[in-house]
Amino acid sequence: MAQTPDTGLWPDALAGTEAAILVVDPVTDQVLGANQSAARLLDCDLASVNSLKPSKLFGQKLPLLIILTDECLSRGHAWTDTLEIRLPDHSNSVNVEVFLSHARHDGREAVVLMIYPLNVVRTRRARAEYDRLRGTSSDVASIERIFRDLSRGNQLLLNAVGEGIYGVNARGELTFLNPAGERMLGWKAEELTGLIAHQVTHHTHENGENYPITDCPIYAAFRDGAVHRVSDEVFWRRDGTCFPVEYTSTPIEDAGQLIGAVVVFRDVSQQRQADQKLRSALTEVEALTRRLEKENAYLQDEIRTRQAFGEIIGDSEQIHSIIEKIQLVAPTDSSVLIVGESGTGKELIAHAIHSASERKARPLIRVNCAAIPRDLFESEFFGHRKGAFTGAIADRTGRFEMADGGTIFLDEISEMPIDMQGKLLRVLQEGQFERIGETRTINSDFRVIAATNRDLKEEAKAKRFREDLYYRIAVFPIEAVPLRERPQDIPLLVQHFMKEYTAKHNIPPKKCTIADMERLQRYSWPGNIRELRNVVEHAMIISRSRKMSFPLLNASDSKLPAFQGLAAESTRKQEVVTAREMEVKERENIIAALKLSKGKVSGPGGAAEILGIKAPTLYSRLKRFSIDKSKL
């Protein structure tokens, strides 16, 4: 064939047509020639047109282009007005009418595309040009059924692209498979040709359930004549494995009859993996956010606790001994057991140990074992997944997970149920646990500090506390000494609480007389430091002048029977009392507070507030002393 300046390979007749002409090689997916009209349509120069890939120009209409190309190769011509051509810069697309004609050059098969934008009125001249160009084809095949010729899959336009492509006839038999499809499925085209495609590649869902052929969207295409696009299924390989796919099933019509479909598919494994990693990362970020929010709440509580108790105050021998022990144990990771009466500052000692340790950059997580309902211990400690039990409306991060890298403080550990003590022992030994409703094991690096107001050795003998757990947490015991055993520290504590109150409420400082200070030192302080703080705050509130007044310590003051007689009792020369006598006094003191509060235990005006102790501690003592407040 003679060459022309416009195309380089094709007849002069093409150069003068008003149609945009593309001459393409369907085997290599290349443009072999083009005219100026094609360059104008594609909004680029002629050299750029010759470097384009035909498969990219027709975008989402690839399945239809495949059908038309094969029809052209087998019949010598084809036509459609439903194609869409995409401009090379992706800025726009144009709906077009296309006439396809089969041609040959130097033994090389080619397809000539005559392209008209649909907004251009087609004329008889356009039809005449098409008929004239049809006459130039030197190798027009006889008209046979399309699928008989589709077996020549190596001649299809998209043999060179990465998508898998196969065809099925109206009986569901696979008629061709392109090389990319062979690579993805692990089958050769000749091995699958004639087999029922669904039974080979699409027979089962990913979860192993059978996939009925009647539900297959691929087959639906040549039943309802619609294009079916699917993005959430799998194809099966020859080796029995599956991979996620996105595919389009486009129906094929011949003489008004649906005769099959062309399926274009691609492996989306990497995309799914990337999506899964993204989802996992987002889940991790959400979990970390919730954890940070929880930690922030605990840190705020820690700040409030520090403000409430201040630093360890005192100059007695007992306080110096406690500070020395804190300095010894803080740099280690050893478990610490702090024992002492309520209100002696056990939590303050725990804070001091944590603050002096290498874990101080991470939070100290406090758990009050006496305040946790029996059936919520495991959830509170280890966390749970949403829906793990009734009421689990959201995921929950457990205290041990939040303590990772830091310290967990188990206050009132003696109040923990015996069955929970075994689970706690396992976590302390292994540093591992699972959330309720989750099988994934969580590792957490934490230090344990426990506190109790009971004798755990006696509790273990009475089988109320596990002996092995006791030895696990009592590696380094520290005793929080009662305030009555260090009266020399009371003046320092009173001065500290007075300064704290004046600074908080921005009031002038006040003074405490020597006589009142001596009275404070003589009192037995069953509520210890917490009780002293409440007494000082009460005095600051009611004192009208710069001089402090302590009516609560007056034995004749009927407003607070809890203090009646105790101050006088402490003035007796008897300096030592038996444990039994102390218990009797404490029991009487509690009963007096309950009578004053009219049986109310917690909240404003309750017995716990009057005694200067926490409500869970008072409930524990009511049980211990067999006090029935309803009978008072």
Side-chain angles (χ1 to χ4, degrees), residues 234-420:
V234 297
F235 280 0
W236 292 86
R237 302 184 182 94
R238 183 172 188 169
D239 62 7
T241 61
C242 66
F243 60 97
V245 293
E246 291 180 352
Y247 67 84
T248 301
S249 179
T250 303
I252 297 175
E253 184 177 337
D254 181 41
Q257 180 180 0
L258 292 171
I259 63 170
V262 169
V263 179
V264 179
F265 65 95
R266 63 189 185 94
D267 185 342
V268 293
S269 298
Q270 292 183 350
Q271 178 182 330
R272 295 289 169 82
Q273 291 172 2
D275 290 345
Q276 182 60 44
K277 288 181 179 179
L278 179 59
R279 285 193 294 270
S280 299
L282 290 174
T283 300
E284 186 175 348
V285 168
E286 290 175 358
L288 181 59
T289 300
R290 290 193 298 270
R291 175 175 171 177
L292 290 175
E293 289 173 350
K294 293 276 188 180
E295 289 180 1
N296 181 62
Y298 280 109
L299 289 172
Q300 293 299 324
D301 182 66
E302 181 179 354
I303 291 172
R304 289 191 292 270
T305 302
R306 288 176 181 271
Q307 292 173 342
F309 289 94
E311 301 174 355
I312 297 178
I313 306 293
D315 195 33
S316 63
E317 182 180 344
Q318 294 93 330
I319 289 297
H320 285 295
S321 176
I322 289 173
I323 293 174
E324 183 179 356
K325 290 179 179 179
I326 291 173
Q327 292 172 338
L328 286 173
V329 76
T332 74
D333 267 349
S334 298
S335 298
V336 178
L337 176 62
I338 306 171
V339 296
E341 298 176 9
S342 178
T344 52
K346 297 187 292 294
E347 185 172 353
L348 185 61
I349 295 173
H351 275 280
I353 294 171
H354 175 71
S355 298
S357 72
E358 295 181 356
R359 296 173 177 267
K360 61 184 178 182
R362 298 290 295 159
L364 183 144
I365 304 299
R366 178 182 178 274
V367 185
N368 186 351
C369 300
I372 302 175
R374 183 184 184 91
D375 56 347
L376 293 182
F377 261 98
E378 195 168 356
S379 172
E380 190 74 18
F381 276 13
F382 312 135
H384 63 251
R385 296 291 293 175
K386 179 180 179 181
F389 53 86
T390 302
I393 60 176
D395 290 349
R396 178 185 179 88
T397 301
R399 304 295 180 92
F400 278 95
E401 187 175 353
M402 284 189 286
D404 185 25
T407 305
I408 188 165
F409 176 47
L410 303 176
D411 198 9
E412 305 285 2
I413 193 172
S414 58
E415 305 300 321
M416 184 182 299
I418 193 72
D419 57 331
M420 191 62 198

Side-chain angles (χ1 to χ4, degrees), residues 63-64 67-68 71 75 79 145-147 150 168 221-222 224-226 250-262:
L64 180 56
I67 297 168
L68 291 168
E71 181 183 357
R75 295 183 176 183
W79 168 86
R145 295 194 57 81
I146 294 175
F147 274 112
L150 283 176
V168 290
F222 55 81
D224 59 21
T250 303
I252 297 175
E253 184 177 337
D254 181 41
Q257 180 180 0
L258 292 171
I259 63 170
V262 169

